[in-house]
Amino acid sequence: MMKSDSIIIIPTYNEKENIEKIVRAVFGLEKAFNILVIDDGSPDGTADIVKRLMEKEFKERLFLIERSGKLGLGTAYIQGFKWALREGYDYIFEMDADFSHDPNDLPRLYSACADEGNDVAIGSRYVSGVNVVNWPMGRVLMSYFASKYVKAVTGFNIHDTTAGFKCYKRRVLNTIELDKIKFKGYAFQIEMKFTAYKIGFKIKEIPVIFVNRREGTSKMSGGIFGEAFFGVMRLRLDGWFRKYPSIKD
């Protein structure tokens, strides 16, 4: 068994074109990472591909949680976080299956937490300009201004608040009261970062280039951004009135 202090959580829904490629790309890195796939009942057989890889090649490095349907990005990650904490991982990552997040950036996120003393490392599209490839302009603008809007409303000084490519130190997820996280869609990403910031964790943005998926279909929708838009106002109010927990190691 190849021991790893790091687990990468990858939520999937209909990612049969990408899942084997992303698993092999991660396991081809020099640094050893394990992977937990959380599949929301993909009708295209994504979970079957993962099971084959687990049985044939990656028994001790690849893990799978199957869920009965589309239950939301936030609930998938929270279930994955709890699993990773129980299993004793020190560094817990979020990553998409579709290669919009480059596996080669994983060691940089790891190093920002393991070597530089940060608690959260964010793979940021906007920390050094707009580093997005092959996105429709409307989506680039929506995402970019969503982060500007979050910053304006909350005073939270992060350039890419909706980023879904992240590394958390164990103590961050131990401290955040995961069952109190309210949002399920992209507002979940904002809420997790904002909560870590309010508790007092050290957050660093690492510049990455975000590439639009080559295969499969995007899960983005107007409803996702609607939740984010109104959710940010709610987070601001929470920030004033909520008592955040003290940091646990």
Side-chain angles (χ1 to χ4, degrees):
M1 176 179 179
M2 187 176 279
K3 289 290 286 179
S4 178
D5 58 356
S6 303
I7 187 84
I8 298 161
I9 301 170
I10 304 180
T12 55
Y13 184 77
N14 285 353
E15 292 288 358
K16 71 174 182 186
E17 296 96 344
N18 295 307
I19 191 62
E20 180 165 353
K21 293 176 196 164
I22 199 83
V23 166
R24 291 190 183 282
V26 170
F27 289 159
L29 296 169
E30 195 174 324
K31 154 87 181 132
F33 294 94
N34 290 353
I35 296 175
L36 170 64
V37 174
I38 302 183
D39 187 69
D40 271 7
S42 297
D44 73 348
T46 299
D48 293 332
I49 295 169
V50 176
K51 284 179 195 161
R52 173 173 57 77
L53 291 169
M54 286 167 68
E55 286 163 18
K56 294 229 162 73
E57 292 180 68
F58 304 119
K59 197 176 185 77
E60 303 294 341
R61 297 188 66 189
L62 179 60
F63 306 94
L64 173 68
I65 293 174
E66 291 185 87
R67 308 200 308 168
S68 56
K70 290 183 81 172
L71 303 173
L73 183 77
T75 65
Y77 273 127
I78 284 173
Q79 190 168 349
F81 293 159
K82 289 178 176 178
W83 184 94
L85 291 172
R86 281 198 307 272
E87 294 294 321
Y89 288 96
D90 294 321
Y91 301 94
I92 299 160
F93 292 72
E94 295 183 12
M95 186 180 183
D96 291 346
D98 61 9
F99 284 92
S100 52
H101 303 147
D102 184 347
N104 292 307
D105 289 323
L106 288 166
R108 294 169 62 223
L109 295 183
Y110 175 80
S111 181
C113 290
D115 303 326
E116 297 171 27
N118 298 289
D119 297 301
V120 183
I122 299 168
S124 175
R125 297 163 287 192
Y126 308 128
V127 74
S128 56
V130 178
N131 291 326
V132 176
V133 178
N134 292 338
W135 255 16
M137 185 50 70
R139 190 165 163 198
V140 173
L141 292 171
M142 197 184 286
S143 171
Y144 181 73
F145 285 109
S147 282
K148 292 283 188 193
Y149 165 70
V150 174
K151 201 170 171 180
V153 171
T154 63
F156 179 29
N157 191 26
I158 291 288
H159 294 87
D160 194 351
T161 52
T162 61
F165 191 24
K166 302 206 285 295
C167 173
Y168 295 100
K169 266 189 183 161
R170 175 184 183 83
R171 68 183 197 144
V172 177
L173 300 178
N174 249 339
T175 302
I176 289 176
E177 296 160 307
L178 294 172
D179 291 331
K180 292 188 179 176
I181 296 293
K182 300 181 182 76
F183 297 113
K184 305 285 189 287
Y186 268 45
F188 165 81
Q189 302 291 11
I190 302 168
E191 186 176 5
M192 285 294 294
K193 294 182 193 74
F194 184 70
T195 305
Y197 155 74
K198 291 296 285 186
I199 290 170
F201 286 113
K202 194 175 173 190
I203 301 172
K204 181 171 183 179
E205 290 186 89
I206 307 297
V208 299
I209 295 172
F210 184 97
V211 181
N212 198 23
R213 64 164 58 239
R214 295 189 294 269
E215 299 185 77
T217 55
S218 172
K219 315 300 189 290
M220 295 297 286
S221 70
I224 280 170
F225 275 97
E227 184 200 54
F229 184 84
F230 293 108
V232 169
M233 296 179 189
R234 195 160 146 193
L235 285 179
R236 179 66 199 252
L237 290 172
D238 273 1
W240 283 335
F241 300 114
R242 182 176 159 194
K243 187 178 187 309
Y244 290 90
S246 300
I247 294 174
K248 294 179 193 165
D249 279 319

